[in-house]
Amino acid sequence: MDAALAAGLQGLLLGLTHLEIGQVVMILIGSTLLYLGIAKGFEPLLLVPIGFGAILVNIPLAGLMEEGGVLRFFYETGVLTEIFPILIFVGIGAMTDFQPLLENPKIILLGAAGQFGIFLTLLLALALGFDKLEAVAIGIIGACDGPTAIYVSSKFAPHLLGAVSVAAYSYMSLVPLIQPPIMRLLTTEREKKIVMGVVKQPVSRTTKILFPIVVTVTASLVAPLGTPLIGMVMLGNLMKESGAVERLKRASENEITNIVTLLLGLSIGATMQADKFLKLETLMVLALGLIAISLDTAVGVLFGKLMCLLTGGKINPLIGAAGISAFPMSARVVQAEGQRYNKKNYLLMHAMSANAGGQTGSIIAAAVMLSVLKGMGIV
Amino acid sequence: MATSVVAPMVGKVLKIEKKAGERVEEDDVVLVMEAMKMEIPVVAPASGVLKEIKVSPGQAVEAEQILAEIE
């Protein structure tokens, strides 16, 4: 009887006796993500469930990612099938106002330029020995667009999903620290001070309704594999702009997005098991992600300089930094930087145009990449 | 000569930093606007005396709307 009781009590210690150092490290990493989300306000909607998922999955013997485990179920049904990111895209479309872009269409070029870092980082990742599909998933961090990064990596390199998502969301929060030094370095004192005037271009309701339909059809014809991404974002946007399906629009931006964000975050955290995450590869992904965002910023600003030159000095190159899609964070960074050098400079709305262009640009860049890979017979 | 302080973008007036009758220097913050959830300081385009403030905190403003006059 005593022996049976002792054995039973020993059962309570099994978790502790099976705890390995790697799992302790991962629980600390999960806790750090929780700290960043809760105390520092870094993308809490994603980092809190990711951090907690990372803690849960590193509890020995709990089996949350084993066959039949609850997190494994979420991961297999939502992430591997791409259903979660796709549903998030509908919500994003329902929340995005493309008006700044439609007011100032030539600025969309900056949104395209802001995506070059993706391709440069892809080449760098290939040079470092990552395989083609992994390199695509790493490069896409440069888009500074969390859901796109999750979509692409869950499709091509699910084993890197944890690292890619953590990199994408952490760096998105760090945009106010990452971008300004690059912007200052690449622009002259005179360029920083360029005043761009007031954006006041009325956009008709018809234009706003036609925009998502035209973009879906044209972009999908060019890059058919990107249709799920572009199509869902634009469906959400059409629901918003048409005003005809208020209930569906509200459900997309609230209930659906909230539920899916919770399950997606947990599932991503669940991929961060010690034996899969604590690898040199993860550190390389984090480093390459930072390089990708920096390169995107640099190319955006350099393209802004070119546009400044071509327009006879009418465009302030700083707004090029908003060509990445960290919306609306990078547009705010541009406003703050511009006013730092010229108090009479109000770049926010111009930067918002570039930022909306960047959002569209990152989705199209992903779509183009998917189609090119398909064309090359890689996927 | 009078100079107008105009709204640089559509948004909301958050707080007024100067009073009518007060002297302002070029680049002094006259009021703070909020646009896209960001605080934007709106500065005096020229030095002078603030003749009139035409808006109040909480008021929504259009781009290029006259916010104040400096003489």
PDB file of all heavy atoms in Angstrom, chain A residues 166-197:
ATOM      1  N   VAL A 166       7.922  34.735 -35.411  1.00  0.00           N
ATOM      2  CA  VAL A 166       8.482  35.529 -34.315  1.00  0.00           C
ATOM      3  C   VAL A 166       9.297  36.680 -34.891  1.00  0.00           C
ATOM      4  O   VAL A 166       9.191  37.828 -34.448  1.00  0.00           O
ATOM      5  CB  VAL A 166       9.335  34.642 -33.373  1.00  0.00           C
ATOM      6  CG1 VAL A 166      10.164  35.488 -32.431  1.00  0.00           C
ATOM      7  CG2 VAL A 166       8.428  33.723 -32.578  1.00  0.00           C
ATOM      8  N   ALA A 167      10.098  36.386 -35.940  1.00  0.00           N
ATOM      9  CA  ALA A 167      10.894  37.448 -36.557  1.00  0.00           C
ATOM     10  C   ALA A 167       9.969  38.513 -37.133  1.00  0.00           C
ATOM     11  O   ALA A 167      10.129  39.711 -36.861  1.00  0.00           O
ATOM     12  CB  ALA A 167      11.785  36.863 -37.652  1.00  0.00           C
ATOM     13  N   ALA A 168       8.957  38.094 -37.899  1.00  0.00           N
ATOM     14  CA  ALA A 168       8.092  39.074 -38.579  1.00  0.00           C
ATOM     15  C   ALA A 168       7.392  39.981 -37.565  1.00  0.00           C
ATOM     16  O   ALA A 168       7.426  41.210 -37.698  1.00  0.00           O
ATOM     17  CB  ALA A 168       7.056  38.348 -39.444  1.00  0.00           C
ATOM     18  N   TYR A 169       6.812  39.389 -36.527  1.00  0.00           N
ATOM     19  CA  TYR A 169       6.055  40.212 -35.581  1.00  0.00           C
ATOM     20  C   TYR A 169       6.962  41.035 -34.671  1.00  0.00           C
ATOM     21  O   TYR A 169       6.618  42.156 -34.305  1.00  0.00           O
ATOM     22  CB  TYR A 169       5.062  39.363 -34.782  1.00  0.00           C
ATOM     23  CG  TYR A 169       3.837  39.078 -35.623  1.00  0.00           C
ATOM     24  CD1 TYR A 169       3.675  37.873 -36.286  1.00  0.00           C
ATOM     25  CD2 TYR A 169       2.858  40.057 -35.802  1.00  0.00           C
ATOM     26  CE1 TYR A 169       2.580  37.629 -37.088  1.00  0.00           C
ATOM     27  CE2 TYR A 169       1.750  39.823 -36.600  1.00  0.00           C
ATOM     28  CZ  TYR A 169       1.614  38.607 -37.248  1.00  0.00           C
ATOM     29  OH  TYR A 169       0.530  38.385 -38.049  1.00  0.00           O
ATOM     30  N   SER A 170       8.131  40.492 -34.287  1.00  0.00           N
ATOM     31  CA  SER A 170       9.003  41.297 -33.435  1.00  0.00           C
ATOM     32  C   SER A 170       9.538  42.483 -34.219  1.00  0.00           C
ATOM     33  O   SER A 170       9.554  43.606 -33.732  1.00  0.00           O
ATOM     34  CB  SER A 170      10.193  40.496 -32.914  1.00  0.00           C
ATOM     35  OG  SER A 170       9.818  39.208 -32.596  1.00  0.00           O
ATOM     36  N   TYR A 171       9.966  42.230 -35.446  1.00  0.00           N
ATOM     37  CA  TYR A 171      10.554  43.331 -36.214  1.00  0.00           C
ATOM     38  C   TYR A 171       9.506  44.374 -36.592  1.00  0.00           C
ATOM     39  O   TYR A 171       9.814  45.560 -36.687  1.00  0.00           O
ATOM     40  CB  TYR A 171      11.268  42.803 -37.461  1.00  0.00           C
ATOM     41  CG  TYR A 171      12.474  41.951 -37.128  1.00  0.00           C
ATOM     42  CD1 TYR A 171      12.867  40.896 -37.931  1.00  0.00           C
ATOM     43  CD2 TYR A 171      13.219  42.210 -35.981  1.00  0.00           C
ATOM     44  CE1 TYR A 171      13.969  40.111 -37.619  1.00  0.00           C
ATOM     45  CE2 TYR A 171      14.309  41.432 -35.647  1.00  0.00           C
ATOM     46  CZ  TYR A 171      14.681  40.384 -36.467  1.00  0.00           C
ATOM     47  OH  TYR A 171      15.762  39.626 -36.140  1.00  0.00           O
ATOM     48  N   MET A 172       8.253  43.921 -36.801  1.00  0.00           N
ATOM     49  CA  MET A 172       7.197  44.896 -37.082  1.00  0.00           C
ATOM     50  C   MET A 172       7.093  45.888 -35.932  1.00  0.00           C
ATOM     51  O   MET A 172       6.917  47.080 -36.129  1.00  0.00           O
ATOM     52  CB  MET A 172       5.850  44.182 -37.256  1.00  0.00           C
ATOM     53  CG  MET A 172       5.548  43.836 -38.691  1.00  0.00           C
ATOM     54  SD  MET A 172       4.261  42.600 -38.792  1.00  0.00           S
ATOM     55  CE  MET A 172       2.850  43.515 -38.252  1.00  0.00           C
ATOM     56  N   SER A 173       7.226  45.377 -34.701  1.00  0.00           N
ATOM     57  CA  SER A 173       7.147  46.264 -33.540  1.00  0.00           C
ATOM     58  C   SER A 173       8.378  47.139 -33.427  1.00  0.00           C
ATOM     59  O   SER A 173       8.343  48.194 -32.817  1.00  0.00           O
ATOM     60  CB  SER A 173       7.048  45.454 -32.260  1.00  0.00           C
ATOM     61  OG  SER A 173       6.031  44.526 -32.374  1.00  0.00           O
ATOM     62  N   LEU A 174       9.476  46.667 -33.995  1.00  0.00           N
ATOM     63  CA  LEU A 174      10.732  47.409 -33.854  1.00  0.00           C
ATOM     64  C   LEU A 174      10.983  48.382 -35.008  1.00  0.00           C
ATOM     65  O   LEU A 174      12.035  49.016 -35.059  1.00  0.00           O
ATOM     66  CB  LEU A 174      11.906  46.424 -33.732  1.00  0.00           C
ATOM     67  CG  LEU A 174      11.888  45.583 -32.452  1.00  0.00           C
ATOM     68  CD1 LEU A 174      13.007  44.552 -32.464  1.00  0.00           C
ATOM     69  CD2 LEU A 174      12.014  46.462 -31.220  1.00  0.00           C
ATOM     70  N   VAL A 175      10.000  48.487 -35.911  1.00  0.00           N
ATOM     71  CA  VAL A 175      10.147  49.397 -37.056  1.00  0.00           C
ATOM     72  C   VAL A 175      10.588  50.812 -36.633  1.00  0.00           C
ATOM     73  O   VAL A 175      11.473  51.392 -37.258  1.00  0.00           O
ATOM     74  CB  VAL A 175       8.839  49.414 -37.891  1.00  0.00           C
ATOM     75  CG1 VAL A 175       8.664  50.676 -38.693  1.00  0.00           C
ATOM     76  CG2 VAL A 175       8.822  48.202 -38.814  1.00  0.00           C
ATOM     77  N   PRO A 176      10.023  51.372 -35.522  1.00  0.00           N
ATOM     78  CA  PRO A 176      10.467  52.719 -35.128  1.00  0.00           C
ATOM     79  C   PRO A 176      11.939  52.777 -34.720  1.00  0.00           C
ATOM     80  O   PRO A 176      12.520  53.859 -34.657  1.00  0.00           O
ATOM     81  CB  PRO A 176       9.569  53.061 -33.929  1.00  0.00           C
ATOM     82  CG  PRO A 176       8.390  52.163 -34.054  1.00  0.00           C
ATOM     83  CD  PRO A 176       8.887  50.903 -34.712  1.00  0.00           C
ATOM     84  N   LEU A 177      12.541  51.630 -34.433  1.00  0.00           N
ATOM     85  CA  LEU A 177      13.973  51.635 -34.098  1.00  0.00           C
ATOM     86  C   LEU A 177      14.823  51.266 -35.308  1.00  0.00           C
ATOM     87  O   LEU A 177      15.928  51.767 -35.478  1.00  0.00           O
ATOM     88  CB  LEU A 177      14.267  50.614 -32.989  1.00  0.00           C
ATOM     89  CG  LEU A 177      13.643  50.881 -31.627  1.00  0.00           C
ATOM     90  CD1 LEU A 177      13.978  49.753 -30.651  1.00  0.00           C
ATOM     91  CD2 LEU A 177      14.171  52.201 -31.079  1.00  0.00           C
ATOM     92  N   ILE A 178      14.291  50.372 -36.154  1.00  0.00           N
ATOM     93  CA  ILE A 178      15.090  49.864 -37.283  1.00  0.00           C
ATOM     94  C   ILE A 178      15.172  50.904 -38.404  1.00  0.00           C
ATOM     95  O   ILE A 178      16.239  51.107 -38.998  1.00  0.00           O
ATOM     96  CB  ILE A 178      14.470  48.546 -37.840  1.00  0.00           C
ATOM     97  CG1 ILE A 178      14.458  47.457 -36.761  1.00  0.00           C
ATOM     98  CG2 ILE A 178      15.235  48.059 -39.072  1.00  0.00           C
ATOM     99  CD1 ILE A 178      13.702  46.194 -37.159  1.00  0.00           C
ATOM    100  N   GLN A 179      14.056  51.565 -38.694  1.00  0.00           N
ATOM    101  CA  GLN A 179      14.029  52.401 -39.896  1.00  0.00           C
ATOM    102  C   GLN A 179      14.769  53.763 -39.807  1.00  0.00           C
ATOM    103  O   GLN A 179      15.494  54.103 -40.749  1.00  0.00           O
ATOM    104  CB  GLN A 179      12.579  52.637 -40.315  1.00  0.00           C
ATOM    105  CG  GLN A 179      11.938  51.370 -40.872  1.00  0.00           C
ATOM    106  CD  GLN A 179      10.753  51.681 -41.754  1.00  0.00           C
ATOM    107  OE1 GLN A 179       9.839  52.377 -41.335  1.00  0.00           O
ATOM    108  NE2 GLN A 179      10.773  51.174 -42.971  1.00  0.00           N
ATOM    109  N   PRO A 180      14.588  54.538 -38.717  1.00  0.00           N
ATOM    110  CA  PRO A 180      15.159  55.893 -38.747  1.00  0.00           C
ATOM    111  C   PRO A 180      16.644  55.984 -39.094  1.00  0.00           C
ATOM    112  O   PRO A 180      17.023  56.824 -39.922  1.00  0.00           O
ATOM    113  CB  PRO A 180      14.839  56.447 -37.358  1.00  0.00           C
ATOM    114  CG  PRO A 180      13.607  55.718 -36.962  1.00  0.00           C
ATOM    115  CD  PRO A 180      13.770  54.328 -37.511  1.00  0.00           C
ATOM    116  N   PRO A 181      17.526  55.119 -38.511  1.00  0.00           N
ATOM    117  CA  PRO A 181      18.943  55.286 -38.867  1.00  0.00           C
ATOM    118  C   PRO A 181      19.188  55.106 -40.369  1.00  0.00           C
ATOM    119  O   PRO A 181      20.002  55.831 -40.958  1.00  0.00           O
ATOM    120  CB  PRO A 181      19.638  54.168 -38.082  1.00  0.00           C
ATOM    121  CG  PRO A 181      18.674  53.695 -37.064  1.00  0.00           C
ATOM    122  CD  PRO A 181      17.310  54.034 -37.545  1.00  0.00           C
ATOM    123  N   ILE A 182      18.457  54.170 -40.989  1.00  0.00           N
ATOM    124  CA  ILE A 182      18.649  53.918 -42.422  1.00  0.00           C
ATOM    125  C   ILE A 182      18.139  55.124 -43.217  1.00  0.00           C
ATOM    126  O   ILE A 182      18.781  55.582 -44.172  1.00  0.00           O
ATOM    127  CB  ILE A 182      17.880  52.638 -42.843  1.00  0.00           C
ATOM    128  CG1 ILE A 182      18.399  51.446 -42.033  1.00  0.00           C
ATOM    129  CG2 ILE A 182      18.011  52.373 -44.336  1.00  0.00           C
ATOM    130  CD1 ILE A 182      17.577  50.188 -42.161  1.00  0.00           C
ATOM    131  N   MET A 183      16.992  55.668 -42.792  1.00  0.00           N
ATOM    132  CA  MET A 183      16.428  56.826 -43.490  1.00  0.00           C
ATOM    133  C   MET A 183      17.362  58.031 -43.408  1.00  0.00           C
ATOM    134  O   MET A 183      17.567  58.752 -44.378  1.00  0.00           O
ATOM    135  CB  MET A 183      15.065  57.196 -42.861  1.00  0.00           C
ATOM    136  CG  MET A 183      14.012  56.120 -43.038  1.00  0.00           C
ATOM    137  SD  MET A 183      12.681  56.261 -41.822  1.00  0.00           S
ATOM    138  CE  MET A 183      11.831  57.701 -42.432  1.00  0.00           C
ATOM    139  N   ARG A 184      17.950  58.229 -42.220  1.00  0.00           N
ATOM    140  CA  ARG A 184      18.843  59.383 -42.039  1.00  0.00           C
ATOM    141  C   ARG A 184      20.104  59.233 -42.874  1.00  0.00           C
ATOM    142  O   ARG A 184      20.576  60.183 -43.483  1.00  0.00           O
ATOM    143  CB  ARG A 184      19.237  59.512 -40.560  1.00  0.00           C
ATOM    144  CG  ARG A 184      18.104  60.053 -39.723  1.00  0.00           C
ATOM    145  CD  ARG A 184      18.447  59.998 -38.249  1.00  0.00           C
ATOM    146  NE  ARG A 184      17.215  59.894 -37.490  1.00  0.00           N
ATOM    147  CZ  ARG A 184      17.127  59.425 -36.255  1.00  0.00           C
ATOM    148  NH1 ARG A 184      18.205  59.029 -35.616  1.00  0.00           N
ATOM    149  NH2 ARG A 184      15.968  59.362 -35.657  1.00  0.00           N
ATOM    150  N   LEU A 185      20.610  58.003 -42.895  1.00  0.00           N
ATOM    151  CA  LEU A 185      21.862  57.746 -43.594  1.00  0.00           C
ATOM    152  C   LEU A 185      21.728  57.986 -45.102  1.00  0.00           C
ATOM    153  O   LEU A 185      22.655  58.490 -45.743  1.00  0.00           O
ATOM    154  CB  LEU A 185      22.273  56.290 -43.332  1.00  0.00           C
ATOM    155  CG  LEU A 185      23.631  55.865 -43.829  1.00  0.00           C
ATOM    156  CD1 LEU A 185      24.714  56.490 -42.944  1.00  0.00           C
ATOM    157  CD2 LEU A 185      23.762  54.344 -43.813  1.00  0.00           C
ATOM    158  N   LEU A 186      20.585  57.636 -45.657  1.00  0.00           N
ATOM    159  CA  LEU A 186      20.466  57.624 -47.121  1.00  0.00           C
ATOM    160  C   LEU A 186      19.922  58.929 -47.725  1.00  0.00           C
ATOM    161  O   LEU A 186      19.814  59.034 -48.939  1.00  0.00           O
ATOM    162  CB  LEU A 186      19.584  56.450 -47.559  1.00  0.00           C
ATOM    163  CG  LEU A 186      20.176  55.059 -47.309  1.00  0.00           C
ATOM    164  CD1 LEU A 186      19.191  53.971 -47.678  1.00  0.00           C
ATOM    165  CD2 LEU A 186      21.476  54.875 -48.094  1.00  0.00           C
ATOM    166  N   THR A 187      19.524  59.873 -46.872  1.00  0.00           N
ATOM    167  CA  THR A 187      18.953  61.108 -47.439  1.00  0.00           C
ATOM    168  C   THR A 187      19.790  62.319 -47.046  1.00  0.00           C
ATOM    169  O   THR A 187      20.415  62.331 -45.982  1.00  0.00           O
ATOM    170  CB  THR A 187      17.513  61.328 -46.930  1.00  0.00           C
ATOM    171  OG1 THR A 187      17.493  61.126 -45.514  1.00  0.00           O
ATOM    172  CG2 THR A 187      16.525  60.387 -47.574  1.00  0.00           C
ATOM    173  N   THR A 188      19.782  63.322 -47.915  1.00  0.00           N
ATOM    174  CA  THR A 188      20.529  64.540 -47.604  1.00  0.00           C
ATOM    175  C   THR A 188      19.646  65.449 -46.747  1.00  0.00           C
ATOM    176  O   THR A 188      18.432  65.275 -46.683  1.00  0.00           O
ATOM    177  CB  THR A 188      20.898  65.300 -48.889  1.00  0.00           C
ATOM    178  OG1 THR A 188      19.669  65.728 -49.499  1.00  0.00           O
ATOM    179  CG2 THR A 188      21.664  64.434 -49.860  1.00  0.00           C
ATOM    180  N   GLU A 189      20.296  66.402 -46.119  1.00  0.00           N
ATOM    181  CA  GLU A 189      19.593  67.377 -45.271  1.00  0.00           C
ATOM    182  C   GLU A 189      18.485  68.075 -46.080  1.00  0.00           C
ATOM    183  O   GLU A 189      17.373  68.267 -45.610  1.00  0.00           O
ATOM    184  CB  GLU A 189      20.645  68.402 -44.803  1.00  0.00           C
ATOM    185  CG  GLU A 189      20.330  69.115 -43.525  1.00  0.00           C
ATOM    186  CD  GLU A 189      20.276  68.202 -42.290  1.00  0.00           C
ATOM    187  OE1 GLU A 189      20.810  67.076 -42.315  1.00  0.00           O
ATOM    188  OE2 GLU A 189      19.638  68.631 -41.316  1.00  0.00           O
ATOM    189  N   ARG A 190      18.809  68.419 -47.326  1.00  0.00           N
ATOM    190  CA  ARG A 190      17.862  69.137 -48.177  1.00  0.00           C
ATOM    191  C   ARG A 190      16.650  68.244 -48.516  1.00  0.00           C
ATOM    192  O   ARG A 190      15.512  68.681 -48.474  1.00  0.00           O
ATOM    193  CB  ARG A 190      18.568  69.571 -49.473  1.00  0.00           C
ATOM    194  CG  ARG A 190      17.916  70.729 -50.204  1.00  0.00           C
ATOM    195  CD  ARG A 190      18.730  71.101 -51.440  1.00  0.00           C
ATOM    196  NE  ARG A 190      18.914  69.956 -52.332  1.00  0.00           N
ATOM    197  CZ  ARG A 190      18.023  69.561 -53.237  1.00  0.00           C
ATOM    198  NH1 ARG A 190      16.905  70.228 -53.396  1.00  0.00           N
ATOM    199  NH2 ARG A 190      18.253  68.507 -54.002  1.00  0.00           N
ATOM    200  N   GLU A 191      16.939  66.978 -48.822  1.00  0.00           N
ATOM    201  CA  GLU A 191      15.848  66.049 -49.156  1.00  0.00           C
ATOM    202  C   GLU A 191      14.897  65.841 -47.970  1.00  0.00           C
ATOM    203  O   GLU A 191      13.679  65.797 -48.128  1.00  0.00           O
ATOM    204  CB  GLU A 191      16.427  64.690 -49.578  1.00  0.00           C
ATOM    205  CG  GLU A 191      17.032  64.701 -50.965  1.00  0.00           C
ATOM    206  CD  GLU A 191      17.820  63.419 -51.258  1.00  0.00           C
ATOM    207  OE1 GLU A 191      18.236  62.726 -50.307  1.00  0.00           O
ATOM    208  OE2 GLU A 191      18.044  63.144 -52.435  1.00  0.00           O
ATOM    209  N   LYS A 192      15.486  65.720 -46.767  1.00  0.00           N
ATOM    210  CA  LYS A 192      14.656  65.475 -45.574  1.00  0.00           C
ATOM    211  C   LYS A 192      13.665  66.609 -45.355  1.00  0.00           C
ATOM    212  O   LYS A 192      12.633  66.425 -44.730  1.00  0.00           O
ATOM    213  CB  LYS A 192      15.549  65.356 -44.338  1.00  0.00           C
ATOM    214  CG  LYS A 192      16.383  64.107 -44.258  1.00  0.00           C
ATOM    215  CD  LYS A 192      17.148  64.093 -42.946  1.00  0.00           C
ATOM    216  CE  LYS A 192      18.056  62.901 -42.824  1.00  0.00           C
ATOM    217  NZ  LYS A 192      19.418  63.127 -43.314  1.00  0.00           N
ATOM    218  N   LYS A 193      14.022  67.810 -45.825  1.00  0.00           N
ATOM    219  CA  LYS A 193      13.204  68.995 -45.541  1.00  0.00           C
ATOM    220  C   LYS A 193      12.141  69.268 -46.590  1.00  0.00           C
ATOM    221  O   LYS A 193      11.366  70.221 -46.458  1.00  0.00           O
ATOM    222  CB  LYS A 193      14.117  70.222 -45.417  1.00  0.00           C
ATOM    223  CG  LYS A 193      14.956  70.180 -44.160  1.00  0.00           C
ATOM    224  CD  LYS A 193      15.767  71.440 -43.995  1.00  0.00           C
ATOM    225  CE  LYS A 193      16.493  71.412 -42.656  1.00  0.00           C
ATOM    226  NZ  LYS A 193      17.586  72.350 -42.602  1.00  0.00           N
ATOM    227  N   ILE A 194      12.091  68.457 -47.638  1.00  0.00           N
ATOM    228  CA  ILE A 194      11.122  68.726 -48.720  1.00  0.00           C
ATOM    229  C   ILE A 194       9.684  68.642 -48.200  1.00  0.00           C
ATOM    230  O   ILE A 194       9.287  67.650 -47.591  1.00  0.00           O
ATOM    231  CB  ILE A 194      11.306  67.719 -49.887  1.00  0.00           C
ATOM    232  CG1 ILE A 194      12.673  67.940 -50.536  1.00  0.00           C
ATOM    233  CG2 ILE A 194      10.182  67.864 -50.916  1.00  0.00           C
ATOM    234  CD1 ILE A 194      13.011  66.926 -51.614  1.00  0.00           C
ATOM    235  N   VAL A 195       8.925  69.720 -48.438  1.00  0.00           N
ATOM    236  CA  VAL A 195       7.523  69.761 -48.017  1.00  0.00           C
ATOM    237  C   VAL A 195       6.677  69.263 -49.191  1.00  0.00           C
ATOM    238  O   VAL A 195       6.907  69.652 -50.340  1.00  0.00           O
ATOM    239  CB  VAL A 195       7.133  71.207 -47.636  1.00  0.00           C
ATOM    240  CG1 VAL A 195       5.635  71.310 -47.372  1.00  0.00           C
ATOM    241  CG2 VAL A 195       7.915  71.642 -46.397  1.00  0.00           C
ATOM    242  N   MET A 196       5.711  68.392 -48.904  1.00  0.00           N
ATOM    243  CA  MET A 196       4.949  67.809 -50.014  1.00  0.00           C
ATOM    244  C   MET A 196       3.528  68.351 -50.170  1.00  0.00           C
ATOM    245  O   MET A 196       2.797  67.914 -51.046  1.00  0.00           O
ATOM    246  CB  MET A 196       4.918  66.282 -49.887  1.00  0.00           C
ATOM    247  CG  MET A 196       6.274  65.663 -50.175  1.00  0.00           C
ATOM    248  SD  MET A 196       6.233  63.870 -50.134  1.00  0.00           S
ATOM    249  CE  MET A 196       5.175  63.482 -51.515  1.00  0.00           C
ATOM    250  N   GLY A 197       3.139  69.262 -49.298  1.00  0.00           N
ATOM    251  CA  GLY A 197       1.800  69.844 -49.462  1.00  0.00           C
ATOM    252  C   GLY A 197       0.698  68.933 -48.952  1.00  0.00           C
ATOM    253  O   GLY A 197       0.948  67.867 -48.404  1.00  0.00           O
TER     254      GLY A 197
END
